[in-house]
Amino acid sequence: MIWANGNFQLLQDNYLFSTIARKVKDYQAAHPDADIIRLGIGDVTLPLPEAVLKAMHIAVDEMGRIETFKGYRSDAGYEFLRQAIADNDYKAVGASVDIDEIFISDGAKNDTANFTDVFDGGNVIAITDPVYPVYMDSNVIAGNGGKVQPDGKFTRIKLLPCTAESGFMPDLPRHKVDVIYLCSPNNPTGTVMDREALKMWVDYARRHGSLILFDSAYEAYIRDDSLPHSIYEIEGARDVAVEFRSFSKTAGFTGLRCSYTVVPREIKARVKEGGTASLNKMWARRQDTMFNGVPYIVQRGAEAVYTPEGQAQIKKNIDYYMRNAGDIRRCFENLGCLVFGGENAPYIWLKIPEGYSSWQYFDKLLAEHNIVGTPGSGFGACGEGYFRLTGFGSRENTMKAIERLKNGGK
Amino acid sequence: MIWANGNFQLLQDNYLFSTIARKVKDYQAAHPDADIIRLGIGDVTLPLPEAVLKAMHIAVDEMGRIETFKGYRSDAGYEFLRQAIADNDYKAVGASVDIDEIFISDGAKNDTANFTDVFDGGNVIAITDPVYPVYMDSNVIAGNGGKVQPDGKFTRIKLLPCTAESGFMPDLPRHKVDVIYLCSPNNPTGTVMDREALKMWVDYARRHGSLILFDSAYEAYIRDDSLPHSIYEIEGARDVAVEFRSFSKTAGFTGLRCSYTVVPREIKARVKEGGTASLNKMWARRQDTMFNGVPYIVQRGAEAVYTPEGQAQIKKNIDYYMRNAGDIRRCFENLGCLVFGGENAPYIWLKIPEGYSSWQYFDKLLAEHNIVGTPGSGFGACGEGYFRLTGFGSRENTMKAIERLKNGGK
């Protein structure tokens, strides 16, 4: 019998969102009449913008004519899309990113997870707690975690606790770390790193030769003009930071699958046998060998996001979700809860009432109000005692959920 | 500075097809008037079937209405597609595969490469030589290769030489191997394993507790009814074999990206800490954590392949490519070459004239006839002295290439 990758045994039995899906399914089966409102998973509910649909219809037609049919093409993506990204997402905010540094992919989840392929188990990995579970799980699968200690922690994964006291901002680690995962606007806490906080991390990384993996999948939800959308708005970041972005939340692409990763040419990594390697070249080779690009029609859809119509349409959708988020935030504030997020992010992160664990509060909200949220403990130990809700529901459902909470209590 | 995954240093500098693309680009730049015919990379050239286009237009419209919009959904794929696969690709040939054993993905390249995530570096990996380079490269990146020996070979990768004498069929290894990559119809040799050959491997795997990773991305090109399309047509295969299939060559999806992997529930792997793990569950967890599914519109396109119209349309396209392949085969036979493939596969594998290496013959064909093929040595040491051509060109270009060869010689 072959040897399995034993690291899978170190993972929790189920991926967080699969567990929630199963619980909700079981509840619905037991209560067929329950009108369940899903404000748990961060999935969009509005249809795709008109500009995207139009571009995709044209692209489908192109795939049907021999003169315009598209087969295999660069794994890194079509130049038309990479150029639109370089111009609109970077040049426009004063950051310089070349198209050779942009890699189109089919999801920020995939990219953040697959990026573990280019580094080695010899690094110390810093991951904030709470955070999106994929950073931890993918490193565990890759064997980058090191040994499991008696307390269940991994020797090579340094958790950076984020608490209400510090506004869920991580402190710099006391001991040197090599790879640092930062997510801003944060999933799940909805908090956003300002320029000063981000500069502190870039400076740390430059001082210690660390690599920052910056997940800004929710940057489009930032309303405060003083907050940075890209880590490359911070001086010196090109030497130390990789950035992950996605069209999922920006333009409703969760079922369409398009994202991108920026790997500046400046970033180097040490090789055990001596010398250094370019991370940009390593990622290019990784994608070349293990990926075959995003569908042409989807890339044309993503390109359309950058047209004036596309921009107006996604802004309208984001406004819609942010109105929901703001209302949910205010609802819980009125119920006397401590609440984070919901102002520059679609996530509302609330301190749950005394006497409940995160999963108990999940069960309570589901049973009493038929509302589905996400238990904070699913994002790490420091998430215990907190609960995540999202502004991604329909306006109608969000208002209905708020009504239920107002009447029935938190 | 962080530690790089040093295994990247063990790869050849460039992925084979990227090297070819660069060479052709350079040649075209130096000879702007050259009418280059690309019969190298295995990329389709006919537009998508009408049934697929129609299904995708409808799906795009669905994504534009709030009632029918699709966001995140199961990473393993929509049931409508998995059911169509179970019924048409398996039940129809007498093989039993459940939809829970089918995982929809965005490419057989990705899946064969990513499958290295579920096994451990402690296995001995058998890879035929010559073969599609991704099996080797992905195992090297994953660190499954072991140490590099003075002769450049890896301690844990056992190459199974395939030669003209044995019709490019691999012999059973003399020493026990754990993981076995088989590709049939074969890329690059175009040869197909018959039931007897496949049964020999299934029996070997059952005897030794090995795992067969069976890549049948080209099964739709089999014309001889006696040849198996799926490894599950062989008794006992469900205990030992994972199968990879793709819509790329079957239905022209190279630019659309859809494939699937079958992992039967019976397959177990050993865990170092004791006990066994289900490979089906491990792959499910891997995809759950590191993948987010194939676009809904693409899955609807793939479903349409199984309609009567879709089947008729893909058959017509495959006939077109196979007519090309047959003509190329005959052309080289008439020129006195030993030729394999081209009868149940879109690849023609020819023994090149004495005095040329594979890359020298590549340069010669490009310079003398402006024809691009793929050097056999790119697929492994045993591919040296051979050359791969494909039937995927347009009819016009294929006829033109044959004309040039007839007039100018091989």
Side-chain angles (χ1 to χ4, degrees):
Chain A
M1 200 181 288
I2 69 157
W3 288 107
N5 175 353
N7 298 314
F8 276 85
Q9 310 289 313
L10 306 176
L11 297 170
Q12 290 179 303
D13 237 9
N14 275 293
Y15 181 61
L16 172 63
F17 298 110
S18 315
T19 309
I20 293 173
R22 206 196 53 238
K23 275 193 168 241
V24 174
K25 198 175 166 191
D26 291 349
Y27 184 87
Q28 187 78 80
H31 306 83
D33 294 336
D35 174 24
I36 296 177
I37 298 175
R38 288 168 174 76
L39 302 176
I41 198 163
D43 195 3
V44 297
T45 48
L46 292 174
L48 286 172
E50 196 56 49
V52 172
L53 297 170
K54 200 175 139 197
M56 288 203 298
H57 275 305
I58 294 170
V60 170
D61 285 335
E62 285 184 85
M63 293 293 279
R65 288 191 304 271
I66 200 157
E67 311 78 35
T68 50
F69 173 76
K70 305 285 185 295
Y72 289 130
R73 212 53 68 93
S74 161
D75 316 304
Y78 281 90
E79 278 194 23
F80 63 75
L81 179 55
R82 290 189 284 154
Q83 193 62 57
I85 290 166
D87 291 345
N88 292 280
D89 289 345
Y90 294 105
K91 205 172 165 191
V93 297
S96 166
V97 167
D98 267 7
I99 66 162
D100 291 349
E101 298 172 320
I102 298 169
F103 298 83
I104 310 297
S105 177
D106 63 336
K109 173 178 163 184
N110 314 21
D111 276 3
T112 51
N114 290 330
F115 213 80
T116 57
D117 281 343
V118 302
F119 52 86
D120 186 69
N123 299 293
V124 176
I125 320 278
I127 299 177
T128 58
D129 174 9
V131 85
Y132 183 53
V134 168
Y135 311 151
M136 171 71 97
D137 286 358
S138 59
N139 273 291
V140 171
I141 289 175
N144 291 341
K147 290 201 165 45
V148 185
Q149 295 167 304
D151 63 0
K153 288 181 178 159
F154 289 86
T155 50
R156 292 202 163 274
I157 296 179
K158 170 81 189 151
L159 292 175
L160 305 176
C162 300
T163 59
E165 289 69 43
S166 59
F168 285 97
M169 288 296 141
D171 289 331
L172 291 179
R174 269 169 293 170
H175 300 286
K176 175 178 175 280
V177 297
D178 301 299
V179 179
I180 302 156
Y181 286 85
L182 295 177
C183 177
S184 178
N186 191 262
N187 178 5
T189 69
T191 55
V192 186
M193 296 176 91
D194 60 17
R195 279 171 198 282
E196 201 181 338
L198 214 46
K199 185 172 186 316
M200 179 182 84
W201 281 98
V202 168
D203 289 347
Y204 174 93
R206 292 174 62 88
R207 223 160 42 237
H208 293 88
S210 315
L211 172 70
I212 296 174
L213 298 177
F214 189 70
D215 183 348
S216 60
Y218 296 92
E219 60 77 29
Y221 290 80
I222 294 175
R223 326 238 96 186
D224 178 343
D225 288 342
S226 75
L227 295 170
H229 289 243
S230 165
I231 197 164
Y232 305 120
E233 294 179 51
I234 309 299
E235 207 191 318
R238 283 184 53 91
D239 295 331
V240 294
V242 165
E243 182 162 288
F244 302 96
R245 285 215 189 169
S246 171
F247 293 91
S248 285
K249 310 305 162 70
T250 304
F253 274 44
T254 52
L256 202 54
R257 317 301 320 138
C258 195
S259 66
Y260 65 87
T261 292
V262 178
V263 190
R265 276 186 303 270
E266 285 87 335
I267 306 178
K268 298 265 184 286
R270 279 188 289 182
V271 178
K272 278 229 171 57
E273 291 69 26
T276 62
S278 151
L279 222 57
N280 177 288
K281 281 196 182 151
M282 287 181 74
W283 183 244
R285 181 63 206 257
R286 193 272 168 206
Q287 293 297 80
D288 216 8
T289 307
M290 305 175 79
F291 185 59
N292 236 332
V294 167
Y296 170 72
I297 53 179
V298 173
Q299 293 192 54
R300 281 293 184 201
E303 182 195 27
V305 170
Y306 295 104
T307 60
E309 309 80 57
Q311 287 293 299
Q313 290 159 7
I314 66 165
K315 187 181 173 302
K316 202 175 146 204
N317 289 359
I318 291 169
D319 286 347
Y320 174 99
Y321 295 134
M322 286 305 289
R323 190 175 165 211
N324 287 345
D327 287 345
I328 295 171
R329 183 186 164 112
R330 272 181 296 280
C331 164
F332 279 98
E333 280 175 341
N334 292 339
L335 290 168
C337 288
L338 180 64
V339 195
F340 296 86
E343 293 176 324
N344 292 290
Y347 292 121
I348 301 97
W349 182 247
L350 63 109
K351 188 155 172 52
I352 60 181
E354 290 285 328
Y356 293 95
S357 74
S358 290
W359 277 109
Q360 283 168 343
Y361 192 66
F362 173 91
D363 292 334
K364 173 185 151 81
L365 269 198
L366 181 57
E368 291 181 9
H369 300 309
N370 296 338
I371 296 172
V372 180
T374 310
S377 59
F379 300 99
C382 291
E384 182 55 87
Y386 290 86
F387 202 73
R388 192 190 79 173
L389 289 163
T390 86
F392 287 124
S394 70
R395 186 69 196 152
E396 188 196 349
N397 278 343
T398 303
M399 293 309 292
K400 214 192 287 178
I402 289 173
E403 220 36 56
R404 290 181 193 172
L405 286 157
K406 268 187 189 165
N407 297 331
K410 63 193 172 188
Chain B
M1 199 181 289
I2 69 157
W3 290 107
N5 175 354
N7 298 315
F8 277 84
Q9 310 289 314
L10 305 175
L11 297 170
Q12 288 178 305
D13 238 9
N14 276 292
Y15 181 62
L16 172 64
F17 297 110
S18 314
T19 309
I20 292 173
R22 205 196 56 239
K23 275 194 168 239
V24 173
K25 199 176 165 190
D26 291 349
Y27 185 87
Q28 186 78 79
H31 306 84
D33 295 335
D35 174 24
I36 296 176
I37 298 174
R38 289 168 173 77
L39 302 177
I41 198 162
D43 196 3
V44 297
T45 47
L46 292 174
L48 285 172
E50 196 57 49
V52 173
L53 298 169
K54 199 175 139 199
M56 289 204 299
H57 275 304
I58 293 170
V60 170
D61 286 335
E62 286 183 86
M63 294 292 280
R65 288 190 305 270
I66 199 158
E67 311 79 35
T68 50
F69 174 76
K70 305 284 185 296
Y72 290 130
R73 213 52 69 94
S74 162
D75 315 304
Y78 282 90
E79 279 195 23
F80 62 74
L81 179 54
R82 290 189 284 154
Q83 194 62 58
I85 290 166
D87 292 344
N88 292 281
D89 289 345
Y90 294 106
K91 205 172 165 191
V93 297
S96 166
V97 166
D98 266 8
I99 66 163
D100 292 349
E101 298 172 321
I102 298 170
F103 298 84
I104 309 297
S105 177
D106 62 336
K109 173 178 164 185
N110 314 21
D111 277 3
T112 51
N114 289 330
F115 213 80
T116 57
D117 281 343
V118 302
F119 52 85
D120 185 71
N123 299 294
V124 176
I125 320 277
I127 299 176
T128 57
D129 175 9
V131 86
Y132 184 51
V134 169
Y135 312 150
M136 170 72 95
D137 286 356
S138 59
N139 272 292
V140 170
I141 289 174
N144 292 341
K147 291 201 163 49
V148 184
Q149 296 167 304
D151 62 0
K153 289 183 178 158
F154 290 87
T155 50
R156 293 201 163 274
I157 296 179
K158 171 79 189 152
L159 292 174
L160 305 176
C162 300
T163 59
E165 290 68 42
S166 58
F168 284 97
M169 289 295 143
D171 288 332
L172 291 179
R174 265 168 297 168
H175 300 286
K176 175 178 175 281
V177 297
D178 301 299
V179 179
I180 302 155
Y181 287 84
L182 295 178
C183 177
S184 177
N186 191 263
N187 177 5
T189 68
T191 54
V192 186
M193 297 175 89
D194 60 18
R195 282 171 196 279
E196 200 181 339
L198 214 46
K199 186 171 185 316
M200 178 182 85
W201 280 98
V202 168
D203 290 346
Y204 173 93
R206 293 175 62 88
R207 222 160 41 237
H208 292 90
S210 315
L211 172 70
I212 296 174
L213 299 176
F214 189 70
D215 184 346
S216 59
Y218 297 93
E219 59 78 28
Y221 289 80
I222 295 174
R223 326 238 94 185
D224 178 342
D225 288 341
S226 74
L227 295 170
H229 289 244
S230 164
I231 197 165
Y232 304 120
E233 294 179 51
I234 309 300
E235 208 191 319
R238 283 184 54 92
D239 295 330
V240 294
V242 165
E243 181 161 289
F244 302 97
R245 285 215 190 169
S246 171
F247 293 90
S248 286
K249 311 304 162 70
T250 304
F253 273 43
T254 53
L256 201 54
R257 317 302 318 138
C258 196
S259 66
Y260 64 88
T261 292
V262 178
V263 190
R265 276 186 303 270
E266 285 87 336
I267 307 178
K268 298 263 184 286
R270 278 189 291 181
V271 178
K272 279 229 171 57
E273 290 69 25
T276 61
S278 151
L279 221 58
N280 177 288
K281 281 196 181 149
M282 288 181 73
W283 183 244
R285 180 64 204 257
R286 193 270 167 208
Q287 292 297 80
D288 216 9
T289 307
M290 307 176 76
F291 184 59
N292 237 333
V294 168
Y296 170 72
I297 52 179
V298 173
Q299 293 192 54
R300 281 293 184 201
E303 183 194 26
V305 170
Y306 295 104
T307 60
E309 308 80 56
Q311 287 292 300
Q313 290 159 8
I314 66 166
K315 188 182 173 303
K316 201 175 147 204
N317 288 359
I318 291 169
D319 286 348
Y320 174 100
Y321 295 134
M322 286 304 289
R323 189 176 165 210
N324 286 345
D327 286 346
I328 295 170
R329 183 185 163 112
R330 272 181 296 279
C331 163
F332 279 98
E333 280 175 341
N334 291 338
L335 290 168
C337 288
L338 181 63
V339 194
F340 296 87
E343 293 176 323
N344 292 290
Y347 293 121
I348 301 97
W349 182 248
L350 63 110
K351 189 154 174 50
I352 60 181
E354 289 285 329
Y356 293 95
S357 74
S358 290
W359 277 109
Q360 283 168 342
Y361 192 66
F362 173 92
D363 292 333
K364 172 186 152 81
L365 268 198
L366 181 57
E368 291 181 10
H369 298 308
N370 296 336
I371 296 172
V372 181
T374 309
S377 59
F379 300 98
C382 291
E384 182 55 89
Y386 290 85
F387 202 73
R388 192 190 78 173
L389 290 163
T390 87
F392 288 124
S394 70
R395 186 69 196 153
E396 188 195 347
N397 278 343
T398 304
M399 293 309 292
K400 215 193 287 180
I402 289 172
E403 219 37 55
R404 290 181 194 171
L405 285 158
K406 267 187 189 163
N407 298 331
K410 62 193 171 187

